[in-house]
Amino acid sequence: MSNTPQARSDRAPQPIASEWTALKARKVSFAWEETPLHWLPGDPFTTHTINVLHLLLPAGERWFVHVYKQVLPYIEDEQLRADVIGFIGQEAMHSQAHDEVLPHLREQGLDPTPYTAQIDWFFEKLLGDRTLPPGRPRKWWLMERVALIAAIEHYTAFLGDWVLNADELDRRGADPTMLDLLRWHGAEEVEHRSVAFDLFLHVDGSYARRVRTWATAFSALVFLWQRGARFFMENDPTLVDGKASFKEFFAKGRQGVLPTAGAMVRSIPRYLNRAYHPSHEGSTQQAVAYLASSPAALAAEAREKGAA
Amino acid sequence: MPKIRTVVAVAGAALLVRKAVRSRMATAPLWPMPALETPVSGRPRGRAQRLRVADRTEVADGVVRLRLVPRDAAAGPLPAWEPGAHLDLVLPSGAVRQYSLCGDPADRTAYTVATRLIEDGRGGSREVHEKLAEGTEVEVRGPRNRFPLEPSHAYVFVAGGIGITPVLPMLRAAEASGALWQLVYAGRSRASMPFLDEVERLGRGGRGRVTVLAEDEDGRPDAAALFDGVPQAAAVYCCGPEGLMDAVAAALPHGSALHLERFTPAAATAGSTAFEVELRRTGGTVAVAADETVLAAVRKKLPDVAYSCEQGFCGTCQLRVVAGEVDHRDELLTDEERRDSMLVCVSRARGAKLVLDL
């Protein structure tokens, strides 16, 4: 681009314009009665490793919305503001949709409350608004959380792209409702993957902060995820001596029912590259194509028409 | 090079720490993270469930009653409800319509709703009548209650036509509570009025008095006579066409509380009026025009107020209501949330003014 200062041109993030799409929340709804406890037949470990999403996302995405509501006054770009507003609604719906899975798990004898109550504490208290003096400390904490969300969104987009392409789940007969929830969510994550990062660049963009919050977000995700998988495996009423292990995680990655450890490691330097921009990863076209055929997204569209 | 003794000491200490952590986690697997005292996650506002139409009966001219049961007979009991509650039905076209529950709240194996076919309506009732045959499945949300029965020593119920549906469980509850009650049930003709037998049977129970007014036999109901001989400070519950509800509101005796259930759908824009919204924390008042949402009016003064879907389902624009009665038109908030908050993108004021915590 000719109008970009030469000194920065090779290091500054360059979004790909064609990956942009207008964002809107879809009023999806999932009925869970038919979904078995092990929705990937015969594979409790994979089922529960993916189920950790239902533990983290209701509180996590509610927290995204909470933080972004506060950042709106700092946005000076109308297009970005519209993107953030679309992003907020999509995240709110993700949180609601995953939250509705939890009572279904409880009915099947796997009560997630001991764990989700801790995740609630994590997002509402530890990462909540805190008692800070107004002015700089409060703004610092807000910017820190905006950067944390950008780092987490790097991983949600990574997972979204993975699940859209995880054909092995179909081959092994995964429950169609659960697969639709994961792919609808994954597709919207891919669709809005640039928003959190663009917002971070717009309101702060400091590289030191990007690295620092990435390290925090990555460690927290690994810690909470393995803990959640262990929790599910140990409390699953149908398993006698359920255990989750990293060894099994690597094996399932090789089989294609979970992301591979290699792909996850390779995504780290990409985020830390100064020229990183989320529009370089994943495909908006694929996401939009899935949403055009997703049973839940189609029903949401019909509902909108029916209400009009 | 560190001395061998140091290496052994560090390794030993690490092993001890590992053992201590493991034994601690064995007694309390979720140690060391604290938990939120009142958890938020895992308590969704509403859950969708698919129910099967187990029975479809025409209970009056143009009125069908549907009995909805879980698909799996072994499934646990359906969520409980109180008289006055309604269910959201997601019709095959995707349209969402609200129908009052008219069965017995103690029966946790089925929900019963009844709908009248409205020829020139928006198509919801036609779909229920034509598409929901016995054996078909339908997605429902709820139940929710916008028309709860408050404890009282005496009740007056006024039902017009299909408006009997939320009132029917109320009659049974009033009879069971030992209160005095009376019902005026108006309709076009006896043949078009559902549940007449049951209503008249309840009226013979002792504490209640039932008046049936069929327009083709008795003429239009006389609103002034509705409240003849009614005990002081009786609670009045009315569900029916707008004209009937206006007449009841006009004739309401002093000291009685009036509770209305409108047929108007959740997201209707018809009948919207202008009102004022006071922003308590910001200071000042904004005017909301009849064709404008509260959100649009507030954004003129506060452009950074958060919102997203603008259709009443994402919940981003939920605000606390300090004063004023709200006409809730969203499909999200629970009855409890509706007591002191609203979604400003769709909901409006019932009266002339709302005060928001903003």
Side-chain angles (χ1 to χ4, degrees):
Chain A
M1 260 185 224
S2 56
N3 58 353
T4 316
Q6 200 56 47
R8 290 184 55 210
S9 64
D10 57 335
R11 308 189 78 195
Q14 300 290 339
I16 301 172
S18 63
E19 290 290 327
W20 181 87
T21 180
L23 303 172
K24 61 158 188 166
R26 294 175 182 82
K27 192 185 170 190
V28 296
S29 164
F30 298 91
W32 292 110
E33 305 94 63
E34 303 276 287
T35 302
L37 181 60
H38 298 158
W39 53 263
L40 190 63
D43 193 345
F45 176 76
T46 304
T47 297
H48 289 324
T49 304
I50 297 179
N51 271 350
V52 175
L53 284 168
H54 312 312
L55 299 175
L56 303 182
L57 294 178
E61 295 187 295
R62 212 165 38 233
W63 174 75
F64 286 10
V65 173
H66 178 78
V67 172
Y68 274 17
K69 277 179 170 181
Q70 300 175 47
V71 86
L72 283 175
Y74 294 92
I75 304 177
E76 278 153 21
D77 178 295
E78 281 313 307
Q79 184 58 59
L80 180 61
R81 171 185 287 268
D83 290 347
V84 168
I85 281 170
F87 177 98
I88 289 177
Q90 292 193 339
E91 292 294 337
M93 294 313 289
H94 297 167
S95 168
Q96 289 177 28
H98 284 277
D99 208 19
E100 289 182 23
V101 183
L102 297 173
H104 177 65
L105 294 176
R106 198 175 299 137
E107 279 154 18
Q108 289 171 306
L110 185 46
D111 183 6
T113 316
Y115 194 86
T116 52
Q118 294 191 329
I119 301 298
D120 285 344
W121 171 84
F122 186 83
F123 285 106
E124 307 256 334
K125 298 282 179 205
L126 190 65
L127 296 178
D129 287 340
R130 323 215 58 116
T131 318
L132 292 171
R136 281 183 58 167
R138 228 177 252 190
K139 187 174 176 198
W140 182 89
W141 181 226
L142 182 61
M143 292 308 148
E144 200 73 3
R145 291 184 289 173
V146 166
L148 272 173
I149 294 175
I152 298 170
E153 282 289 302
H154 173 62
Y155 288 97
T156 57
F158 169 85
L159 293 172
D161 183 50
W162 174 80
V163 78
L164 285 173
N165 294 296
D167 301 333
E168 189 60 25
L169 291 175
D170 302 83
R171 276 194 287 276
R172 297 198 179 184
D175 176 70
T177 310
M178 185 60 81
L179 216 46
D180 190 32
L181 168 77
L182 297 174
R183 290 203 173 132
W184 155 74
H185 184 170
E188 288 198 343
E189 290 297 338
V190 171
E191 206 184 26
H192 73 216
R193 67 193 183 280
S194 296
V195 176
F197 192 75
D198 283 342
L199 178 65
F200 165 65
L201 286 185
H202 181 76
V203 297
D204 185 77
S206 133
Y207 184 71
R209 176 168 266 150
R210 194 207 298 186
V211 175
R212 178 173 70 230
T213 51
W214 167 81
T216 315
F218 186 77
S219 330
L221 276 176
V222 171
F223 173 71
L224 294 176
W225 212 297
Q226 56 86 23
R227 203 172 149 82
R230 281 180 214 279
F231 169 80
F232 270 141
M233 289 300 282
E234 280 162 19
N235 291 286
D236 186 322
T238 65
L239 302 177
V240 180
D241 194 17
K243 285 257 178 315
S245 70
F246 279 100
K247 200 175 132 202
E248 202 167 359
F249 172 72
F250 299 137
K252 294 297 175 188
R254 281 192 298 275
Q255 293 168 25
V257 288
L258 286 177
T260 63
M264 290 172 76
V265 169
R266 280 193 297 278
S267 80
I268 297 171
R270 289 208 302 276
Y271 186 71
L272 298 178
N273 185 335
R274 282 180 189 266
Y276 165 84
H277 192 271
S279 61
H280 298 236
E281 309 195 348
S283 154
T284 305
Q285 202 188 343
Q286 185 189 22
V288 171
Y290 181 75
L291 291 168
S293 68
S294 150
L298 288 176
E301 205 172 301
R303 202 163 302 164
E304 226 168 89
K305 282 200 194 110
Chain B
M1 279 292 282
K3 286 185 180 154
I4 290 183
R5 221 185 307 166
T6 324
V7 174
V8 170
V10 168
L15 274 174
L16 279 176
V17 167
R18 196 172 103 139
K19 207 178 156 202
V21 167
R22 290 214 164 163
S23 73
R24 184 72 183 79
M25 287 186 77
T27 51
L30 289 168
W31 178 83
M33 268 173 75
L36 200 64
E37 255 171 57
T38 43
V40 189
S41 302
R43 287 160 180 70
R45 290 179 167 109
R47 287 172 72 195
Q49 46 181 341
R50 291 195 74 80
L51 300 180
R52 187 170 55 81
V53 180
D55 177 68
R56 178 188 186 280
T57 314
E58 186 148 352
V59 288
D61 286 354
V63 179
V64 293
R65 184 186 62 196
L66 302 177
R67 191 177 144 83
L68 306 170
V69 300
R71 284 196 293 187
D72 178 4
L78 291 168
W81 58 281
E82 306 265 306
H86 69 271
L87 212 55
D88 287 0
L89 258 63
V90 185
L91 300 174
S93 70
V96 180
R97 294 290 182 268
Q98 283 81 39
Y99 296 106
S100 295
L101 287 162
C102 57
D104 177 5
D107 177 7
R108 302 281 296 274
T109 63
Y111 290 140
T112 308
V113 295
T115 67
R116 176 185 297 287
L117 177 64
I118 299 166
E119 296 286 347
D120 52 356
R122 295 183 304 153
S125 66
R126 177 164 296 278
E127 236 187 302
V128 171
H129 278 247
E130 290 173 1
K131 300 275 171 64
L132 297 186
E134 269 174 36
T136 44
E137 284 178 4
V138 62
E139 188 181 312
V140 306
R141 282 188 167 256
R144 279 188 298 188
N145 202 343
R146 285 189 307 219
F147 191 42
L149 188 67
E150 316 279 355
S152 176
H153 66 289
Y155 296 99
V156 178
F157 300 105
V158 183
I162 194 68
I164 190 69
T165 48
V167 172
L168 195 56
M170 291 184 167
L171 299 180
R172 299 190 201 109
E175 180 72 24
S177 76
L180 290 170
W181 60 273
Q182 68 172 55
L183 165 74
V184 176
Y185 183 14
R188 253 170 271 157
S189 64
R190 290 185 72 94
S192 73
M193 295 163 73
F195 308 120
L196 262 183
D197 290 352
E198 182 165 5
V199 163
E200 289 180 331
R201 194 170 55 243
L202 276 163
R204 288 191 292 271
R207 306 197 141 268
R209 193 179 84 201
V210 172
T211 315
V212 174
L213 297 172
E215 212 177 296
D216 59 350
E217 294 167 19
D218 313 297
R220 282 189 171 271
D222 175 12
L226 280 176
F227 296 103
D228 284 351
V230 165
Q232 282 260 310
V236 181
Y237 288 79
C238 178
C239 180
E242 289 288 328
L244 178 72
M245 292 202 289
D246 291 345
V248 169
L252 188 74
H254 184 71
S256 282
L258 179 62
H259 308 265
L260 297 174
E261 169 85 319
R262 284 167 207 281
F263 290 157
T264 44
T269 43
S272 297
T273 51
F275 55 94
E276 273 190 341
V277 172
E278 182 189 329
L279 309 175
R280 182 55 61 87
R281 277 188 287 133
T282 316
T285 304
V286 291
V288 183
D291 60 349
E292 170 185 56
T293 63
V294 176
L295 175 66
V298 169
R299 283 187 66 208
K300 285 183 204 156
K301 197 175 167 78
L302 297 172
D304 293 319
V305 64
Y307 69 96
S308 184
C309 74
E310 297 184 80
Q311 292 172 64
F313 63 83
C314 81
T316 307
C317 66
Q318 183 176 0
L319 286 176
R320 214 167 68 79
V321 179
V322 181
E325 205 186 335
V326 183
D327 177 8
H328 290 284
R329 297 181 175 188
D330 63 283
E331 290 172 25
L332 179 76
L333 300 186
T334 62
D335 299 326
E336 203 166 315
E337 287 174 304
R338 283 177 183 206
R339 258 173 238 152
D340 65 351
S341 67
M342 70 186 285
L343 296 187
V344 291
C345 67
V346 287
S347 298
R348 306 183 67 83
R350 237 195 205 132
K353 191 173 176 186
L354 282 179
V355 182
L356 295 179
D357 179 25
L358 188 69

